[in-house]
Amino acid sequence: MNLAGLLDRSRTHTTARVTEIDITGKRRDLTHAELTELAHDRARQLTAAGVRPGHLIGIRASNGLDWLAWDLAALVAGARLKAFADTTEIPDPGDFIAEHRLALLIADVPPTAPAVVRPDGVPEPGVVPPTATVVETDDIHSLVYSSGTSGRLKGLEISGRGTEYVINRFVEAFGVTARDRHLIFLPLANYQQRLSVYLCLWLGADLVLAPYQRVFQAVRTERPTFLIGPPVFYDTALQLSTKGQGAGSLGDFLGGHIRFLITGMAPIRRDTLDAFWAQGVPLLEAYGLTETGMVAWNSPGEHRVGTVGRLIDPDAVTFLDDGELVINRPAPLGRGYFDTDGDPAAAEVFQADGTILTGDYGRLDEDGFLTLIGRKKDVIALGSGRKVHPAEIEAAFTGIEGVSEIVVVATPQSNRLGAIVTATDPADPLLRGRIEKRIEETNATLDAHERVMSLVFSATPLRSDPAFMTANMKLSRDRAAAHFAAAVKEESAADGAAAPADFGAGR
């Protein structure tokens, strides 16, 4: 696959289709060839508006055919698309355009500035403002924003060569062909989704865009052969299919044509993985960052449940003494940051020699499968000076009957760990006591500094609550720790309220 030849190739696909489903369920679709012609029309409109190679075109819009058409039009015109999440606030479009030095802004906002165009609109001739910047670097394909576990936005320059590299390796590993049908429900502003778009357009595979609010209707009616989603999607799919067991198997619930499913973005419960495999639905963990591209994946032909798969480029990955993965490959997906909003950690990620620090700890087993231990920024430093990985401790409690989710956090007492637990049946008054007993038993098998010393129970899982998730669907441990501290304070202060389970500092 190469970006320069993408539209020449997609122009020949006269039967493969791209389908858009909006929030109301209304459908609109085009063949790949028709989408290509629309993109060329839009490219001519960009040129007439004054867009030149290297200009930045901003887009803030919902997923749809128009989003794709503008993306491809920018590619034809030699412009760079600067993608903003569809939740980005634009109080004054003119100021927004000047701030980001855009040539045009494609957005669902009132066209109060000449360079503002609605997603289905046409720009006026010669409206590019004098403040528009030109990106001279040839290998910058796009500019995107990402949000890490801190929730702080930072901009990332996306490499064209890195894009091609990741897609070509994916095709090799997963055997995607024109017979496949892919469903996207995450925002196109998330660059992973655009990789999937280019993949389908290159191969002539059908593509469906659906809002996340309608994803479970869409997956049954559109019958995809593969999709990519965060753990919460698979947890929810399993719960819904179990409730409707009379309607068929998990595979039937997902449309009946699934070849494989991919999850990443955050840790997934082992119980969920096992349940999918037990019902004959391959759910494959993968690992990557927008900065590097994919680092490891399980594939249909090579997989080990509970790991994130084999390294794609073993020679490009090394481990620091503390276990952090570092990547140095010829064509990483990201070239560097911009608009880091004062994040000091961002300056350390891209090293001068081309090495990229991932901030993730991991280890390889004897067969070369990678297991992630946790995030560097999530490490909890205890008052004793010991450091612990909360995800690794959570794994020790996996499999306790009655526990739907457990999140390990730092507590206001610097030498103790706490946990927020969601029971499988929060309404069962006896289940809490059984869970506390099993956690205390598991604690006895851990080193003293790894033990969870107090519990807070939550009626709902934090990993499915938007209040505790970052923009890229990862748990914010800072918010979880703040929630734990507030719950302890509230329960302790409440007259007659049951205090959080406390196992005592000496046990």
Side-chain angles (χ1 to χ4, degrees), residues 104-399:
L104 288 176
L105 173 63
I106 314 299
D108 291 309
V109 296
T112 56
V116 177
V117 184
R118 287 192 175 276
D120 60 352
V122 177
E124 296 293 330
V127 295
V128 172
T131 54
T133 191
V134 173
V135 177
E136 301 286 358
T137 307
D138 289 339
D139 192 41
I140 293 181
H141 168 61
S142 186
L143 301 179
V144 302
Y145 285 90
S146 67
S147 174
T149 51
S150 67
R152 180 185 288 116
L153 285 175
K154 55 184 180 291
L156 189 63
E157 299 172 346
I158 297 296
S159 159
R161 284 183 297 158
T163 295
E164 294 165 355
Y165 181 83
V166 170
I167 292 174
N168 288 328
R169 295 300 301 271
F170 188 89
V171 173
E172 294 170 5
F174 291 86
V176 182
T177 71
R179 295 188 297 274
D180 279 299
R181 184 173 178 84
H182 181 43
L183 173 66
I184 290 176
F185 62 93
L186 296 175
L188 289 168
N190 176 335
Y191 195 71
Q192 170 63 56
Q193 315 315 311
R194 288 163 68 192
L195 291 171
S196 297
V197 169
Y198 304 150
L199 165 77
C200 291
L201 291 177
W202 181 260
L203 295 174
D206 284 346
L207 177 66
V208 180
L209 304 175
Y212 72 89
Q213 297 94 333
R214 300 189 66 87
V215 63
F216 291 111
Q217 296 97 318
V219 76
R220 289 194 294 274
T221 59
E222 302 303 318
R223 309 180 80 181
T225 60
F226 74 100
L227 58 82
I228 301 169
V232 66
F233 169 79
Y234 299 107
D235 288 338
T236 306
L238 185 60
Q239 293 166 9
L240 292 175
S241 68
T242 301
K243 290 178 181 177
Q245 283 179 343
S249 67
L250 175 60
D252 293 333
F253 177 80
L254 295 170
H257 283 198
I258 292 293
R259 288 203 304 115
F260 63 88
L261 304 167
I262 298 176
T263 187
M265 309 172 206
I268 188 168
R269 296 168 58 240
R270 179 60 187 263
D271 287 352
T272 300
L273 288 169
D274 290 342
F276 271 75
W277 282 95
Q279 297 194 49
V281 183
L283 177 53
L284 304 166
E285 280 191 273
Y287 164 62
L289 301 87
T290 311
E291 288 83 351
T292 63
M294 296 307 300
V295 175
W297 52 40
N298 289 284
S299 67
E302 289 187 317
H303 50 264
R304 178 162 294 174
V305 178
T307 75
V308 293
R310 282 203 168 107
L311 297 175
I312 298 168
D313 297 311
D315 294 340
V317 179
T318 55
F319 294 83
L320 299 182
D321 291 341
D322 62 359
E324 181 181 358
L325 283 82
V326 297
I327 315 295
N328 193 325
R329 60 162 52 130
L333 189 59
R335 290 178 49 91
Y337 290 126
F338 66 92
D339 289 356
T340 57
D341 193 27
D343 184 354
E348 302 175 2
V349 174
F350 289 91
Q351 302 285 295
D353 64 353
T355 297
I356 301 174
L357 305 182
T358 67
D360 289 309
Y361 294 110
R363 57 172 173 258
L364 292 175
D365 66 19
E366 59 186 13
D367 296 319
F369 286 88
L370 176 66
T371 297
L372 294 180
I373 299 172
R375 289 285 293 162
K376 188 173 185 177
K377 63 178 63 177
D378 290 338
V379 168
I380 298 173
L382 299 172
S384 62
R386 304 296 292 267
K387 295 181 179 180
V388 296
H389 297 282
E392 196 167 29
I393 296 172
E394 289 162 2
F397 295 97
T398 298

Side-chain angles (χ1 to χ4, degrees), residues 17-31:
R17 310 190 77 81
V18 181
T19 301
E20 167 196 315
I21 302 173
D22 70 14
I23 192 68
T24 69
K26 182 180 177 181
R27 294 170 58 89
R28 174 188 173 203
D29 67 356
L30 297 174
T31 65

Side-chain angles (χ1 to χ4, degrees), residues 50-65:
V51 172
R52 299 293 176 260
H55 269 152
L56 292 175
I57 299 171
I59 185 165
R60 193 222 68 181
S62 301
N63 285 11
L65 289 166

